[in-house]
Amino acid sequence: MRLSELGGKEIVNLNDGGRLGVINDSDLVIDTKNGKILSLLVPDRNQFRLFGDKDEVEIPWDSIRKIGEDMMIIEFNKK
């Protein structure tokens, strides 16, 4: 799968069925030494933001369980 094919997919948490956002709104954290994806940074939709502050939820890449046609299923316990 190409990175461009991830765009537009909804991120859904397997643990509670909650929608975390869309891949288009997220960033990737990449290890610059080996090029591996470490995590996905998703804007926290439950936090109030002022003046461009960014509250994000960091989801480890190994929390991804399935990438389907329309969504990405993750297994994640938000702290």
Side-chain angles (χ1 to χ4, degrees):
M1 175 173 280
R2 295 174 180 255
L3 181 60
S4 61
E5 294 174 297
L6 289 176
K9 293 187 189 303
E10 187 76 30
I11 305 167
V12 178
N13 192 348
L14 180 66
N15 289 336
D16 63 6
R19 297 171 53 202
L20 281 97
V22 179
I23 297 285
N24 291 357
D25 300 331
S26 305
D27 287 317
L28 295 175
V29 177
I30 299 173
D31 186 328
T32 57
K33 294 180 184 175
N34 61 25
K36 291 185 178 184
I37 299 172
L38 300 175
S39 60
L40 188 62
L41 294 176
V42 181
D44 191 350
R45 296 173 12 165
N46 296 325
Q47 296 294 323
F48 179 71
R49 289 183 224 149
L50 291 174
F51 307 110
D53 289 345
K54 279 192 163 182
D55 288 328
E56 299 168 324
V57 177
E58 186 167 357
I59 301 167
W61 192 252
D62 60 1
S63 294
I64 297 171
R65 296 296 172 248
K66 185 78 171 174
I67 299 174
E69 289 292 320
D70 300 320
M71 67 181 65
M72 174 186 286
I73 305 292
I74 63 163
E75 189 170 5
F76 181 70
N77 291 318
K78 189 174 172 184
K79 297 172 185 166

